[in-house]
Amino acid sequence: MDTVRLGRTNLKVSRLALGAMGMGDASWRSWVLDETASRPVVAAALEAGINLFDTCDFYSLGRSEEVLGKLLGGMAGRDEVIIATKVGNPMGRGANNRGYSRKHILDACDASLRRLGTDYIDLYQTHIWDPDTDIEEMVDAFADLVRAGKVRYVGATDMPAWQFAKAIYHARHHGLPGFVSMQNHYNLVWREHERELIPLCRAEGIGLIPYSPMARGFLCDPDRQTLRSGDDEYADLWYGRPEDRAVAARLADVASARGVKPGQVAIAWVAAQPGVAAPVIGANSAEQVADAVAALDLILDDDETALLASVYLPRPTG
């Protein structure tokens, strides 16, 4: 698989990343795979040349990190893989067991290192955003982790563009290690970040590693019922407008004409967007990994791209 630089860094990442939200403990979410079931998924990703693996302390309340760390430790050299994880979501009942205080960031990083079974995290990212965050304290704490050798690079997940800009410029002004990536929600039926966040990232050389390129399966089949769709509150919250279904219908037409699966066209569209380094895919089988990898070979022409874009309706900002 081809690799590209992550933003302006010299770090080379595969053109797809494997997300590990679906690995860990089924008691957290019914569709989560245990270690045994996750093994062939990780093996298929490594065999295909994927080197970027993304997880979070919150997934299965830490068990995802444990499973991913153990599997990668047994299948690949540490220098061959890029391990990304996140901080910010609640990890306990205490007021300081979440968010972006210096206390929680430092404590959470140490806990993630133990669960992953590694001495360092390649890419440490914010997760669910807290708008009340003191940006300077957060950036300073992340910088200290980099200087301590516990983290190689720092990244962010969805946040308002103006706050992300503040974080970027605080780090730059003070000569601190700054954010190098943005893991944002981006697909054919969710393009809201094209207004501000994505242009900011492109202008500042921030690598985009968008999640949900297939809209949590909605773009594969809007009416498909799966274990995940049964207890994924975000899918119903984010997708399902008549305009979203119109996009899915156009996507199905393009896929049918190409003789490929709709989800593959959805991945190909995201991967081709300017600034995108590596869409983050989820998979529960080696076959799904293979399908996603094959999507990188799809090059959509101008007519297909225009057809897919023509029925999208932006959501209100107010």
Side-chain angles (χ1 to χ4, degrees):
M1 182 180 297
D2 290 340
T3 59
V4 295
R5 289 171 59 185
L6 182 60
R8 288 180 180 161
T9 75
N10 293 319
L11 184 67
K12 300 293 183 64
V13 299
S14 51
R15 290 291 282 122
L16 282 178
L18 181 65
M21 185 178 182
M23 304 177 193
D25 188 340
S27 66
W28 184 68
R29 299 285 191 276
S30 60
W31 40 269
V32 171
L33 306 180
D34 63 15
E35 179 183 330
T36 299
S38 299
R39 184 177 299 276
V41 178
V42 173
L46 289 168
E47 180 65 24
I50 291 175
N51 71 357
L52 176 56
F53 295 83
D54 177 74
T55 185
C56 177
D57 58 2
F58 181 69
Y59 299 161
S60 291
L61 300 180
R63 182 60 181 153
S64 176
E65 289 182 326
E66 293 173 351
V67 168
L68 183 64
K70 184 175 181 180
L71 291 177
L72 289 177
M75 295 183 189
R78 182 64 185 89
D79 60 340
E80 298 173 338
V81 295
I82 300 166
I83 297 177
T85 192
K86 311 181 198 73
V87 58
N89 252 344
M91 290 301 290
R93 289 189 285 182
N96 291 304
N97 280 329
R98 66 191 69 193
Y100 302 106
S101 67
R102 178 180 181 82
K103 173 178 173 57
H104 182 59
I105 289 172
L106 300 187
D107 289 348
C109 181
D110 286 342
S112 287
L113 288 169
R114 289 193 297 269
R115 287 189 292 263
L116 288 164
T118 184
D119 294 331
Y120 65 93
I121 295 164
D122 294 290
L123 180 63
Y124 200 40
Q125 306 156 101
T126 63
H127 196 200
I128 302 299
W129 183 241
D130 178 0
D132 193 42
T133 298
D134 183 277
I135 301 291
E136 295 179 2
E137 177 181 341
M138 178 188 72
V139 171
D140 291 349
F142 274 124
D144 284 346
L145 289 174
V146 174
R147 289 168 170 167
K150 296 180 179 182
V151 169
R152 297 291 190 258
Y153 299 91
V154 294
T157 305
D158 299 327
M159 69 166 68
W162 73 268
Q163 289 186 304
F164 191 46
K166 187 174 179 180
I168 293 170
Y169 301 138
H170 173 73
R172 187 174 300 168
H173 180 73
H174 293 279
L176 302 174
F179 289 114
V180 304
S181 65
M182 169 56 68
Q183 186 171 159
N184 63 310
H185 183 198
Y186 192 40
N187 55 56
L188 277 164
V189 288
W190 192 280
R191 296 168 51 189
E192 307 312 303
H193 289 156
E194 290 179 351
R195 291 184 174 104
E196 293 185 348
L197 185 61
I198 289 176
L200 169 66
C201 291
R202 290 172 180 162
E204 296 298 337
I206 304 296
L208 297 170
I209 49 174
Y211 65 88
S212 292
M214 294 178 285
R216 280 171 151 82
F218 178 86
L219 289 171
C220 301
D221 180 354
D223 298 312
R224 184 177 63 174
Q225 297 298 310
T226 65
L227 277 176
R228 178 165 185 171
S229 64
D231 67 356
D232 186 347
E233 65 276 16
Y234 285 106
D236 291 336
L237 178 65
W238 288 338
Y239 317 123
R241 303 176 306 164
E243 296 82 8
D244 299 338
R245 290 183 171 274
V247 173
R250 293 282 180 90
L251 177 64
D253 290 341
V254 171
S256 178
R258 284 291 194 111
V260 297
K261 298 177 179 179
Q264 292 177 302
V265 178
I267 292 172
W269 182 87
V270 174
Q273 299 310 300
V276 171
V280 180
I281 61 162
N284 58 25
S285 69
E287 179 184 4
Q288 289 184 351
V289 173
D291 284 346
V293 172
L296 295 178
D297 293 329
L298 289 174
I299 306 299
L300 301 175
D301 62 33
D302 291 342
D303 289 341
E304 290 169 325
T305 300
L307 183 67
L308 293 171
S310 62
V311 291
Y312 181 74
L313 182 67
R315 289 158 174 81
T317 58

